[in-house]
């Protein structure tokens, strides 16, 4: 007997094939089964998406249908909840179901054929035997603080979702470990998922979870999932999670789609971090999907941050005011002396002109060196210096292909565009006027490091007198940014040098401000944070505040020395409310002020946004497509109803208007109602597709919708 099997495959994003395709099968495979199917000349991975029907039950021509190529019998079917998650994500983020579903599976499932996979499964099945079943040994964990105990009690009693608002070093990670521990001990098959924003932070977290849970549940019980892993490792982790062998899955945003048939707890650490939003393809927010998935699967969701996103903060206002999340608070850092660092603002209006390190900051750094303590200086920029500049004619090293400046890289004396990658050797003289004296403008981390080295050249470290250095050794400065950590393992080895005390001053980008636990740093300095105060991006102040709080949190992690730790901010606007709130470590005050502004300006979270982006050879075509699609709204069925509460703005060039000779335009759509926005976008999809086919769109390269965009 032959069955008709609806199978979801990865069809091109904008193809008209939105739903599953029908194949023939002699077996009735359960919904959620993985199969391999022919499509054109290729053989693809597919997921059985609906119940099979008997041949003849619908109007398809049986002669045109092809049989499936095989089924992956060794892998249990994906659960209904997983399929529902994928369905929701595809609909909400306006992508095809096949794209989202198949992209959520590990690449090797797609790339290996049935035979290769069968072999792989056999190997994993052997490895899985080593897992130790849950045993009632008590774990030698620390005694909880009063704040941790209170938080855990409420977590037990309520349903959530929860927002854990806890200062850096307040013991949030310890709370995560406890919630996981309680879950695994109480339910022998339950699984927990823990998400972190950056790959760099997974090894640290993995070590902590492995140390706690490895001895209890076996090494296979904790697995990681992130894009830095090899395809083989990813498949292995995915299979462990899918089969239930893995009890704890640690990962970056992609982990939100992992198949965990028994997930009962989802933790999103540093929930405010922008990396939770995917920036290409289906532009999903892993944090928002975690909330949805929790509700879907009956899993508790715990978001954690010292500086929550304004969205989550707003959702966790008192229930009496409409809040939907439970806010849990841990204001104190752990340890008797673990006070938050003192914030010092240097008014740059009263410092020597053009100085990068103000004299008081320099003195403070020298004092740390004299005491054998470490300092950290950070700048949100990479490269030796952003732009090469001619003082005579004002020529700047613009990229000929993008509306961006190329960055001067001293190491190989090149000018590189960070957007399209266009690279040239540095010219000997100004290409516009011939002036041989062209120089870097502004400063990147590399130049900052060099400049600091000059300023500290005569400083000697005490207690380091040797035959070679009778007056003590020079200061040791290190730099950590995207350029110095390109190779695998470099970041780890540099961090290790900081931890072991081989470094006196660490210079870097925001990369060093996040998450790392530096114990002997007692001074953190932001040398030039002002530009974010006056950015066109309405989220820039939120980012800056969070970055500065995170950075401050790096100082004085060691209770013995944290009493003297300081956060320095050099600014031309010392009285700015953002810095006032920072000085008091007062996130709630900062958030209240920002939320008032956002409400007055009708910005998220008081308003919902979507962007349609278009790319073409000319700006005219890119904008023309958007304008045509917008004009076509009037002709849509029930246009009046759909347009209720919707504002469509005119098409504009994107702030990064040109990348690699491609012109980019965008159009903003806003609504005070999420549901209204969703209804409109779903109906408008068809219009966008058909506008694409019209003469107005000739020359259009691509278009895409970004729902809840992070930058507009
Ligand atoms: P956060 O994640 O909030 O930054 P952590 O959980 O990393 O904080 O805790 C900060 C430090 O305090 C860590 O070194 C951790 O081991 C320690 N710590 C956490 N909870 C306790 C506790 N109850 N007793 C003693 N030390 C603790
Ligand atoms: Zn470029
Ligand atoms: Zn010139």
């Amino acid at each position: 007997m032959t069955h008709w099997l609806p199978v979801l495959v990865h069809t091109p994003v904008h193809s008209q094939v939105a739903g599953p395709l029908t194949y023939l099968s002699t077996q009735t495979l359960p919904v959620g089964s993985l199969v391999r199917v022919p499509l054109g000349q290729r053989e693809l991975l597919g997921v059985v998406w609906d119940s099979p029907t008997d041949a003849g039950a619908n109007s398809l021509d049986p002669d045109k249908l092809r049989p499936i190529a095989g089924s992956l019998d060794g892998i249990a079917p994906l659960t209904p909840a997983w399929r529902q998650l994928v369905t929701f994500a595809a609909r909400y983020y306006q992508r095809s179901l096949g794209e989202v579903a198949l992209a959520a599976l590990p690449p090797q499932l797609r790339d290996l054929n049935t035979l290769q996979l069968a072999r792989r499964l056999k190997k994993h099945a052997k490895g899985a035997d080593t897992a130790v079943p849950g045993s009632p040994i008590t774990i030698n964990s620390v005694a909880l603080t009063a704040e941790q105990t209170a938080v855990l009690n409420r977590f037990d009693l309520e349903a959530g979702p929860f927002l854990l608002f806890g200062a850096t070093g307040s013991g949030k990670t310890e709370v995560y470990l406890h919630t996981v521990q309680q879950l695994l001990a109480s339910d022998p098959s339950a699984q927990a998922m823990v998400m972190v924003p950056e790959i760099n932070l997974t090894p640290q977290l993995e070590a902590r979870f492995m140390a706690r849970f490895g001895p209890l549940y076996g090494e296979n019980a904790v697995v990681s999932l992130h894009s830095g892993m090899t395809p083989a490792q990813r498949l292995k982790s995915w299979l462990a999670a899918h089969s239930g062998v893995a009890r704890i899955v640690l990962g970056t945003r992609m982990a939100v789609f992992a198949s965990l048939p028994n997930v009962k707890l989802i933790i999103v650490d540093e929930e405010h971090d922008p990396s939770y939003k995917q920036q290409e393809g289906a532009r999903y927010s892993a944090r928002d999907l975690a909330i949805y998935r929790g509700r879907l699967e009956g899993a508790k969701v715990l978001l954690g941050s010292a500086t929550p996103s304004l969205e989550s903060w707003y959702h966790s206002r008192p229930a009496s005011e409409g809040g939907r999340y439970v806010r849990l608070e841990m204001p104190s850092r752990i340890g008797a002396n673990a006070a938050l660092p003192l914030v010092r603002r240097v008014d740059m209006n009263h410092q020597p002109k053009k100085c990068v390190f103000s004299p008081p900051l320099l003195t403070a750094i020298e004092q740390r060196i004299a005491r054998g303590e470490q300092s950290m200086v950070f700048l949100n920029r990479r490269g030796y210096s952003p732009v090469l500049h001619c003082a005579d004619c004002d020529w700047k090293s613009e990229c000929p292909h993008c509306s961006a400046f190329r960055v001067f890289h001293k190491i190989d004396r090149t000018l590189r565009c960070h957007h399209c990658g266009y690279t040239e050797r540095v010219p000997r003289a100004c290409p516009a006027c011939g002036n041989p004296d062209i120089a870097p403008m502004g400063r990147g981390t590399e130049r900052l490091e060099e400049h600091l080295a000059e300023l500290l050249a005569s400083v000697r470290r005490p207690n380091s007198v040797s035959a070679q250095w009778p007056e003590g050794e020079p200061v040791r400065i290190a730099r950590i940014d995207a350029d110095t950590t390109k190779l695998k393992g470099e970041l780890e080895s540099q961090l290790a040098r900081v931890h072991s005390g081989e470094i006196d001053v660490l210079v870097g980008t925001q990369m060093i401000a996040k998450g790392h636990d530096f114990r002997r740093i007692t001074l953190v300095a932001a040398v030039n944070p002002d530009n974010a105060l006056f950015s066109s991006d309405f989220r820039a102040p939120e980012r800056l505040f969070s970055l500065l709080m995170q950075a401050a949190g790096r100082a004085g992690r060691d209770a013995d020395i944290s009493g003297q730790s300081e956060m320095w901010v050099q600014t031309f606007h010392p009285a700015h409310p953002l810095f006032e709130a920072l000085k008091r470590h007062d996130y709630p005050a900062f958030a209240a002020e920002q939320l008032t502004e956002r409400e007055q300006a009708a910005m998220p979270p008081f308003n919902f946004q979507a962007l349609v982006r278009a790319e073409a050879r000319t700006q005219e075509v890119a904008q023309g497509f958007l304008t045509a699609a917008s004009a076509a709204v009037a002709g849509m069925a029930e246009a009046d109803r759909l347009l209720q509460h919707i504002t469509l703005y005119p098409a504009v060039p994107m702030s990064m208007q040109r990348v690699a000779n491609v012109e980019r335009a965008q159009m903003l759509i806003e609504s005070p109602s999420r549901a209204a926005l969703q209804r409109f976008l779903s109906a408008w999809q068809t219009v966008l597709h058909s506008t694409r086919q019209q003469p107005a769109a000739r020359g259009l390269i691509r278009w895409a919708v970004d729902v809840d965009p992070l930058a507009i």
Side-chain angles (χ1 to χ4, degrees):
M1 169 113 184
T2 307
H3 305 275
W4 287 12
L5 212 55
V7 176
L8 198 61
V9 293
H10 188 176
T11 44
V13 186
H14 286 164
S15 85
Q16 296 298 336
V17 186
L21 304 173
T22 303
Y23 287 89
L24 302 174
S25 164
T26 49
Q27 299 165 267
T28 64
L29 292 165
V31 177
S33 300
L34 292 167
V35 290
R36 295 194 63 86
V37 296
L39 187 75
Q41 299 301 311
R42 294 177 303 161
E43 192 185 291
L44 298 177
L45 178 71
V47 183
V48 176
W49 207 252
D50 294 307
S51 310
T53 52
D54 291 340
N58 61 26
S59 59
L60 295 168
D61 176 359
D63 294 340
K64 296 227 173 88
L65 297 184
R66 300 164 75 180
I68 62 168
S71 62
L72 309 184
D73 294 330
I75 303 178
L78 293 154
T79 62
W82 186 86
R83 285 182 295 116
Q84 176 58 32
L85 173 72
V86 162
T87 306
F88 170 80
R91 200 176 54 225
Y92 188 82
Y93 294 104
Q94 307 287 318
R95 304 296 288 197
S96 81
L97 191 53
E99 179 198 10
V100 176
L102 276 296
L105 298 170
Q108 278 205 337
L109 266 193
R110 304 196 292 263
D111 301 342
L112 298 184
N113 65 33
T114 322
L115 199 72
Q116 291 168 316
L117 259 178
R119 246 184 257 137
R120 201 58 70 81
L121 287 175
K122 214 180 213 169
K123 212 172 92 195
H124 290 320
K126 265 195 215 129
D129 291 343
T130 56
V132 183
S135 41
I137 317 167
T138 38
I139 308 175
N140 57 340
S141 55
V142 290
L144 296 172
T145 65
E147 284 179 5
Q148 286 170 329
T149 308
V151 155
L152 286 164
N153 285 342
R154 272 195 81 189
F155 182 84
D156 271 351
L157 292 174
E158 301 192 43
F162 301 89
L163 173 66
L164 175 55
F165 169 50
T168 35
S170 63
K172 291 187 292 298
T173 311
E174 194 58 44
V175 167
Y176 304 153
L177 287 160
H178 266 262
T179 55
V180 172
Q181 182 179 324
Q182 281 175 357
L183 174 73
L184 300 200
S186 68
D187 178 341
S189 64
Q191 296 176 295
M193 174 155 70
V194 184
M195 285 197 277
V196 287
E198 291 195 46
I199 295 177
N200 293 336
L201 299 178
T202 49
Q204 232 174 310
L205 195 73
E206 200 175 36
R208 233 166 131 177
F209 272 80
M210 195 59 96
R212 187 72 58 94
F213 297 107
L216 274 184
Y217 299 104
E219 283 196 3
N220 294 318
V222 185
V223 300
S224 293
L225 262 181
H226 57 77
S227 59
M229 297 163 62
T230 66
Q233 287 170 330
R234 260 171 80 176
L235 178 64
K236 187 172 176 219
S237 291
W238 187 90
L239 287 169
H242 179 63
S243 66
V245 168
R247 306 290 306 279
I248 303 165
V249 175
L250 309 173
T252 51
R253 62 171 178 261
M254 63 152 71
V256 79
F257 285 115
S259 167
L260 278 77
N262 261 315
V263 65
K264 290 284 169 280
L265 172 62
I266 304 176
I267 293 168
V268 183
D269 190 24
E270 310 286 2
E271 66 87 28
H272 63 279
D273 199 293
S275 3
Y276 282 119
K277 182 98 191 318
Q278 168 77 16
Q279 290 300 345
E280 58 195 35
R283 293 168 175 249
Y284 63 88
S285 155
R287 177 196 62 215
D288 295 354
L289 286 180
I291 299 281
Y292 177 85
R293 185 170 187 176
R295 208 168 46 206
L296 191 67
E297 311 228 29
K300 280 194 177 180
V301 179
L302 175 58
L303 312 178
S305 177
T307 53
S309 64
L310 287 174
E311 282 83 356
S312 299
W313 186 251
Y314 181 65
H315 290 322
S316 69
R317 67 199 185 280
S320 57
E321 294 167 26
R324 298 184 284 115
Y325 298 178
V326 178
R327 188 184 294 169
L328 308 169
E329 304 196 29
M330 297 202 304
S332 319
R333 291 176 116 185
I334 306 253
N337 304 313
L340 285 161
L342 177 69
V343 175
R344 310 191 64 148
R345 290 162 289 180
V346 181
D347 184 348
M348 295 304 275
N349 297 297
H350 299 138
Q351 298 300 324
K353 268 210 159 40
K354 287 192 172 178
C355 78
V356 179
F357 291 91
S358 60
L361 173 58
L362 206 58
T363 308
I365 294 176
E366 288 175 7
Q367 283 168 356
R368 305 291 141 154
I369 295 166
R371 290 206 296 261
E373 296 170 7
Q374 295 174 311
S375 303
M376 180 174 108
V377 175
F378 80 91
L379 188 73
N380 185 16
R381 230 184 229 166
R382 83 177 162 122
Y384 177 73
S385 168
V387 179
L388 219 53
H389 178 232
C390 168
D392 280 4
C393 75
D394 208 28
W395 171 87
K396 295 187 189 73
S397 55
E398 259 167 285
C399 173
H401 307 297
C402 306
S403 48
F405 293 108
R406 279 176 300 162
V407 172
F408 175 41
H409 286 248
K410 191 187 176 200
I411 287 192
D412 50 1
R413 295 202 60 81
T414 53
L415 291 175
R416 282 171 193 277
C417 174
H418 283 190
H419 297 278
C420 76
Y422 181 72
T423 303
E424 256 183 353
R425 287 195 61 76
V426 169
R428 286 186 191 288
C430 170
C433 76
N435 170 18
D437 196 19
I438 45 176
M441 192 174 82
R443 280 161 203 275
T445 42
E446 193 176 342
R447 197 159 146 82
L448 202 69
E449 177 194 13
E450 209 174 77
H451 185 58
L452 192 62
E454 282 163 20
L455 292 172
L456 298 176
S458 60
V459 176
R460 290 289 171 270
R461 296 190 296 116
N463 310 323
S464 65
V465 176
S466 64
Q468 191 194 353
W469 301 100
E471 275 147 43
E473 289 171 23
V475 176
R476 301 155 306 177
I477 303 178
R479 173 166 59 97
I480 294 187
D481 60 21
D483 287 332
T484 65
T485 54
K486 261 192 216 113
L487 300 180
K488 204 173 158 64
E490 267 178 335
L491 178 65
E492 291 70 24
S493 70
Q494 292 195 44
L495 289 175
R497 286 175 61 217
V498 179
H499 288 302
S500 67
E502 287 166 51
I503 301 299
D504 304 307
V505 184
L506 177 62
V507 175
T509 53
Q510 55 188 18
M511 205 167 174
I512 56 174
K514 282 186 189 176
H516 304 290
D517 201 353
F518 298 122
R519 308 227 67 106
R520 296 209 59 84
I521 286 184
T522 58
L523 182 148
V524 173
V527 288
N528 180 22
D530 280 351
N531 47 1
L533 297 178
F534 307 100
S535 167
S536 60
D537 179 353
F538 70 89
R539 283 192 173 88
E542 179 183 353
R543 298 270 158 71
L544 177 63
F545 190 84
S546 142
L547 182 62
L548 294 176
M549 286 282 279
Q550 294 279 325
R554 300 304 109 215
R557 301 276 288 195
D558 218 334
D560 309 341
I561 53 176
S562 68
Q564 315 117 41
S565 67
E566 292 176 353
M567 161 97 203
W568 286 61
V569 176
Q570 298 191 143
T571 172
F572 287 95
H573 308 273
H576 194 285
L578 189 150
F579 295 132
E580 294 283 353
L582 180 74
K583 177 150 184 73
R584 298 191 311 267
H585 301 279
D586 194 348
Y587 170 82
F590 168 75
E593 188 239 318
Q594 283 285 309
L595 283 173
T596 307
E597 275 185 31
R598 298 252 189 116
E599 186 163 22
Q600 281 161 2
M603 291 287 192
F606 302 95
N607 214 342
F608 299 91
Q609 301 177 322
L611 275 183
V612 193
R613 298 204 173 88
E615 298 185 2
R617 284 286 164 219
T618 68
Q619 186 61 220
E620 209 185 340
V621 170
Q623 288 191 29
F625 165 75
L626 296 172
T627 309
S630 173
V633 169
M636 281 162 60
E638 292 194 79
D640 288 348
R641 187 184 66 90
L642 286 172
L643 279 172
Q644 255 178 25
H645 314 302
I646 298 284
T647 310
L648 278 158
Y649 289 90
V652 293
M654 283 177 63
S655 53
M656 266 302 297
Q657 180 175 335
R658 196 149 50 102
V659 171
N661 286 329
V662 172
E663 287 284 336
R664 316 195 302 170
Q666 67 182 37
M667 178 182 270
L668 179 64
I669 303 114
E670 266 182 5
S671 174
S673 152
R674 199 194 280 275
L677 185 63
Q678 275 298 307
R679 264 198 309 277
F680 171 76
L681 290 175
S682 303
W684 197 34
Q685 273 281 343
T686 330
V687 175
L688 283 158
H689 281 294
S690 61
T691 308
R692 174 84 176 88
Q693 308 307 323
Q694 282 157 23
R698 193 166 298 141
L700 187 77
I701 298 168
R702 61 178 82 83
W703 64 273
V705 182
D706 186 351
V707 182
D708 305 330
L710 278 192
I712 57 168

